[in-house]
Amino acid sequence: MHESSLKHIRCMRCGKKLSLEVLKKDGEIREGFLLCTGCDLRFPIIDKIPILWDDFATYLSNRPRLGGTLYAKASTQRLKIYIKEKLGSIPKNRTDVSLVEKRWSSIYEKNKKSKFYDVVKKSLDKIPSSGIVLEHGCSIGIMVRHMAKLHNVFGIDKSYHAIEIAKKSDSENVDYFVADSLSHPFGKAKFDSVIGLNLFEIIEPKLFLRSLSKQVKKDGFLVLSDPYDFERGEKSVREPLYEESVRIELGRLGFSISKETKNPAYLPWNLKLHQRAALRYKVDLIIGKKR
């Protein structure tokens, strides 16, 4: 974590500024804690990555194997004790989603040269180059790295494994956080551009759009994409939004849709899973400007 990022983040519960306790530093903060005195919460920084979850034990409760990995990564005794205590407090025999997160992080890395990303990058290049950008669900940092050529950029994602890959090509004007998009660490901060690609299947679309709309400055931009693949059994969102309903909802939230994305798009996004399997999506792209 870059120490300069501290001024931008807040406690997710009370909105107060966080203080920093450094355990190990080598240019960036490698290990330490972000502290909220108002809520008596601490958020660990492990191998340069802050995990901004309002309950670290809850985050690990369905990621126990990740907890073991984080314990092994920690080099200071203080951090090791903290991780061990949290691991000891979680229930046993829970589903381990970190295995799935690690697998998908690897899939995204192997498909990072997909033409889909090139199309989105060209659209992002049309956005004015001043200001700060936030990407939700940044995964391995494909769009963050591209936007960082002209902007200061923050990326958040639930997957530690994805952020770990993203951090390998970090730069001074970029920082990544493990965080929940609906309980993010930026308080009432507003950004010049906010990006959320292919997330409607895993975050309730209406709640997500309302949250994003509050983060975009007047005359700022919101960039969204999705294949509207909502059939996920028990994990399906309760209230899906599709091409037209997304655009209507954005209008209600004060956005004007760009001329180029006023009509639904069908951008090919092909993901090779392994030698015998691939996903082939047709993805919609929407760019809105806050009125």
Side-chain angles (χ1 to χ4, degrees):
M1 171 186 166
H2 301 293
E3 198 164 349
S4 59
S5 297
L6 187 62
K7 63 185 178 182
H8 295 283
I9 55 178
R10 300 288 186 273
C11 174
M12 292 82 72
R13 285 190 185 176
C14 68
K16 286 188 176 181
K17 288 185 178 180
L18 301 175
S19 58
L20 176 65
E21 179 183 353
V22 178
L23 298 178
K24 187 175 181 180
K25 183 178 180 180
D26 55 4
E28 283 189 66
I29 310 302
R30 180 170 286 279
E31 289 187 13
F33 293 98
L34 292 165
L35 309 170
C36 176
T37 55
C39 296
D40 195 27
L41 290 176
R42 62 179 53 214
F43 310 99
I45 304 168
I46 305 171
D47 197 19
K48 301 183 181 180
I49 300 173
I51 301 178
L52 292 168
W53 216 265
D54 62 1
D55 186 341
F56 185 55
T58 299
Y59 182 73
L60 293 181
S61 66
N62 59 351
R63 297 173 176 87
R65 186 168 296 194
L66 173 63
T69 300
L70 297 179
Y71 180 83
K73 281 178 172 287
S75 60
T76 60
Q77 194 63 21
R78 180 90 177 275
L79 187 56
K80 281 185 176 292
I81 290 171
Y82 175 80
I83 296 170
K84 188 175 182 179
E85 287 177 349
K86 296 300 181 182
L87 276 171
S89 70
I90 66 177
K92 306 300 180 184
N93 300 319
R94 296 289 296 271
T95 302
D96 195 333
V97 300
S98 66
L99 299 175
V100 177
E101 290 174 346
K102 186 173 185 178
R103 176 174 175 261
W104 276 101
S105 299
S106 176
I107 289 170
Y108 290 135
E109 187 173 27
K110 290 174 183 176
N111 288 272
K112 62 185 177 183
K113 293 185 179 180
S114 167
K115 291 181 180 180
F116 166 74
Y117 297 121
D118 290 335
V119 174
V120 177
K121 286 174 184 177
K122 287 179 182 178
S123 296
L124 292 173
D125 288 343
K126 298 176 183 179
I127 293 175
S129 61
S130 62
I132 302 177
V133 175
L134 169 63
E135 183 180 7
H136 289 267
C138 66
S139 187
I140 63 169
I142 295 171
M143 292 303 152
V144 169
R145 287 194 296 275
H146 181 74
M147 296 298 283
K149 296 173 184 177
L150 296 172
H151 305 261
N152 293 312
V153 191
F154 294 109
I156 65 173
D157 199 284
K158 288 184 178 182
S159 170
Y160 183 93
H161 291 297
I163 296 296
E164 188 176 30
I165 294 171
K167 284 289 288 184
K168 290 178 182 177
S169 54
D170 198 9
S171 59
E172 285 293 329
N173 62 325
V174 170
D175 226 335
Y176 295 97
F177 305 95
V178 173
D180 186 336
S181 287
L182 294 183
S183 183
H184 60 78
F186 297 101
K188 297 180 179 179
K190 293 186 182 294
F191 297 85
D192 296 272
S193 297
V194 176
I195 304 168
L197 304 183
N198 309 332
L199 296 173
F200 288 171
E201 292 79 22
I202 56 176
I203 307 175
E204 282 293 333
K206 279 193 175 182
L207 291 178
F208 188 41
L209 290 179
R210 288 169 193 162
S211 179
L212 295 183
S213 70
K214 295 175 183 177
Q215 294 184 302
V216 182
K217 292 180 178 178
K218 184 179 179 182
D219 294 326
F221 294 87
L222 178 59
V223 181
L224 302 167
S225 71
D226 211 84
Y228 309 118
D229 179 23
F230 292 113
E231 298 301 323
R232 296 180 176 232
E234 292 181 359
K235 295 183 179 180
S236 297
V237 298
R238 294 186 301 274
E239 193 174 354
L241 292 179
Y242 294 91
E243 294 97 332
E244 297 303 328
S245 52
V246 170
R247 287 166 171 80
I248 290 170
E249 187 66 20
L250 287 173
R252 289 173 181 161
L253 292 169
F255 288 90
S256 299
I257 308 302
S258 72
K259 184 186 297 184
E260 295 81 3
T261 65
K262 194 169 185 179
N263 296 318
Y266 294 86
L267 307 177
W269 183 33
N270 301 323
L271 286 171
K272 183 178 179 181
L273 305 182
H274 53 78
Q275 278 190 324
R276 295 179 181 273
L279 291 174
R280 300 184 184 279
Y281 285 118
K282 297 293 186 181
V283 182
D284 192 14
L285 177 66
I286 308 171
I287 299 176
K289 185 175 182 180
K290 190 72 172 287
R291 297 191 292 264

